[in-house]
Amino acid sequence: MEPAGAGTSAGSSKGVRRRNLLLGGAAAGVGALAAAGTQLVGGAPSSSVAAETPDNGAGTVPFFGPRQAGIGTAAQAHGAFVALDLKPGITAAGVKSLLKLLTSDAARLTQGEGALADTEAELAFRPANLTVTFGFGPGLFRVAAPGRAPSWLRPLPKFGIDRLVKEYSDGDLLLQICADDPLTVAHAQRMLLKDSRSFTTVRWIQQGFRRAYGTEKPGTTMRNLFGQVDGTANPVPGSESFERVVFGDGANRSWAENGTSLVLRRISMNLDKWDELDRSGREESVGRKLSNGAPLTGVDEHDEPDFKALNPVGFPVIADFSHLRRARPEDPSQRIFRRAFNYDVPPGGPGVSDSGLLFASFQADVDRQFVPIQKRLDDLDILNQWTTPVGSAVFAVPPGCGPDGFVGEGLFAFA
């Protein structure tokens, strides 16, 4: 009987010799094996990196609460605005049933669960910060709560620059569907439309986008397709200014506690014509530097513009006709919160682009905040040479709801 240690040593030697023979017999493959081993070793860090990459698809935004999500929520990469019209003969009870159904669907989808009648529930398992925000048009109020619509809930005044088409205007019920993944948005949109088709017809759908998730640091101001930094002057969600602008205060009350309004304007941007303008002309028309969005009188994006500053020949550095000057109200109560998305669809004519902005604006009172700004832009804004509003819709955004309620339940509180 051999000592255990001797036997083990002999066995190891045999094993080593056997392995050497095998390797020797496959000498031509040694380099390949070594290379493969290197790749395997080199592959480990990649796997580690992949494992450490944040999984944004699992991200969720709470649905229930006193306010609807999708307003102060950091804007996601993709958005769809869906306007529905109530079918003829729909009663208030029908609207109530519709809102209950859509609330249930939205609550589930935003938390990564399939809707009740979801035949492809797997598509809901990656919510990617999905939010669904409801807005009510005049037609919904006429059926569900006659006489209770806020006074500003009507089409905007006719502006000289408008070239509106019905395919992008008005609507009884709006669903703003936003997420960081386009597949998530598409699935949520389909499910919500499937469950609402007994009550409504689709009036229009407008889809938009921002930078893909992870492309820029969170909080970076978006750029539109003119290359401009777009939305620098926005109040910051959570701030006192945001609360006052979006949800009102004692001097400017919203139509409902924790409710607000949404104006959606589809603004066509003539990129083909914009291409003919040089860089300085572009900056002068906007009043900001293209590089970082700083006002022409400043250095950094959030520097306050100096409208009194003059150039060497005595003209204002920021021209009176610039978009920045016209959009900046003298009255501090005339502020809005914009949450816009770009759009880019195949051109239908001789041009090479059909692009623009889905300008979504939240404010407590449309007449007191949005309309005065739009009037100034309509009167004099050199940017109007390259932009044309082609769609316009106004909605009252109701408060949120609790798990036992539904969005819009307040409309029926006194019915």
Side-chain angles (χ1 to χ4, degrees):
M1 188 174 182
E2 294 180 338
T8 301
S9 176
S12 297
S13 298
K14 292 178 182 176
V16 169
R17 286 196 296 272
R18 187 177 299 115
R19 285 197 296 272
N20 287 342
L21 287 172
L22 289 171
L23 290 173
V30 170
L33 287 171
T38 302
Q39 287 182 352
L40 288 172
V41 171
S46 297
S47 300
S48 300
V49 170
E52 294 169 359
T53 301
D55 182 2
N56 187 55
T60 58
V61 178
F63 178 81
F64 296 115
R67 294 173 178 171
Q68 292 195 69
I71 304 170
T73 307
Q76 299 93 325
H78 302 271
F81 296 84
V82 181
L84 305 173
D85 282 341
L86 298 175
K87 286 186 174 180
I90 292 293
T91 64
V95 174
K96 189 174 183 180
S97 297
L98 169 65
L99 294 177
K100 285 183 174 180
L101 183 59
L102 292 179
T103 296
S104 174
D105 284 347
R108 295 173 66 90
L109 289 165
T110 57
Q111 302 310 299
E113 302 174 25
L116 290 178
D118 203 333
T119 52
E120 299 90 17
E122 291 80 3
L123 294 177
F125 294 166
R126 313 301 289 172
N129 297 316
L130 173 68
T131 57
V132 179
T133 312
F134 295 61
F136 299 160
L140 187 143
F141 275 93
R142 281 195 294 271
V143 174
R148 297 188 59 192
S151 59
W152 44 255
L153 187 60
R154 60 181 183 278
L156 296 176
K158 291 183 179 179
F159 299 106
I161 57 173
D162 287 356
R163 300 293 182 269
L164 304 182
V165 296
K166 64 180 182 181
E167 288 82 2
Y168 300 127
S169 299
D170 305 323
D172 293 339
L173 172 63
L174 175 77
L175 300 174
Q176 177 195 257
I177 306 168
C178 301
D180 287 322
D181 183 85
L183 185 57
T184 297
V185 172
H187 179 66
Q189 176 182 307
R190 177 169 179 263
M191 290 312 305
L192 294 169
L193 290 181
K194 279 176 65 176
D195 283 347
S196 62
R197 61 187 171 191
S198 297
F199 307 89
T200 66
T201 56
V202 177
R203 187 179 183 91
W204 46 255
I205 297 175
Q206 302 185 52
Q207 297 172 325
F209 59 90
R210 292 183 167 212
R211 293 279 195 191
Y213 176 81
T215 301
E216 294 180 324
K217 293 181 180 178
T220 301
T221 309
M222 70 166 279
R223 284 185 185 267
N224 61 37
L225 293 174
F226 277 170
Q228 303 163 328
V229 175
D230 194 319
T232 296
N234 250 353
V236 179
S239 67
E240 183 276 333
S241 174
F242 177 85
E243 292 294 308
R244 185 178 66 256
V245 168
V246 177
F247 296 103
D249 57 15
N252 183 32
R253 294 186 179 279
S254 180
W255 71 281
E257 185 176 4
N258 293 315
T260 183
S261 71
L262 169 59
V263 175
L264 181 66
R265 302 271 284 176
R266 185 182 182 90
I267 301 175
S268 173
M269 297 163 62
N270 193 331
L271 289 176
D272 300 347
K273 187 177 178 182
W274 182 252
D275 284 342
E276 300 171 359
L277 192 63
D278 62 20
R279 190 175 183 88
S280 63
R282 297 179 184 198
E283 293 185 332
E284 287 181 14
S285 68
V286 179
R288 292 185 180 276
K289 299 174 182 175
L290 285 171
S291 58
N292 63 356
L296 295 182
T297 55
V299 175
D300 297 319
E301 179 190 352
H302 294 286
D303 288 349
E304 277 297 306
D306 181 359
F307 296 119
K308 296 181 180 178
L310 303 178
N311 63 22
V313 293
F315 290 104
V317 176
I318 300 175
D320 291 340
F321 55 70
S322 70
H323 182 75
L324 170 59
R325 186 68 188 95
R326 301 303 297 176
R328 181 64 65 96
E330 299 290 349
D331 183 347
S333 70
Q334 296 175 2
R335 300 293 298 275
I336 60 175
F337 176 71
R338 53 198 296 170
R339 197 172 188 275
F341 291 85
N342 299 300
Y343 74 83
D344 186 37
V345 297
V352 298
S353 66
D354 184 355
S355 309
L357 196 67
L358 302 179
F359 185 94
S361 166
F362 291 91
Q363 54 281 305
D365 188 308
V366 175
D367 284 347
R368 297 183 65 173
Q369 296 170 254
F370 183 89
V371 172
I373 297 174
Q374 187 58 53
K375 283 184 175 176
R376 282 196 301 277
L377 296 176
D378 188 50
D379 291 340
L380 177 64
D381 177 7
I382 196 170
L383 205 58
N384 292 340
Q385 293 189 43
W386 300 276
T387 59
T388 305
V390 295
S392 183
V394 180
F395 300 96
V397 178
C401 67
D404 296 327
F406 63 95
V407 176
E409 59 190 335
L411 297 184
F412 307 91
F414 305 102

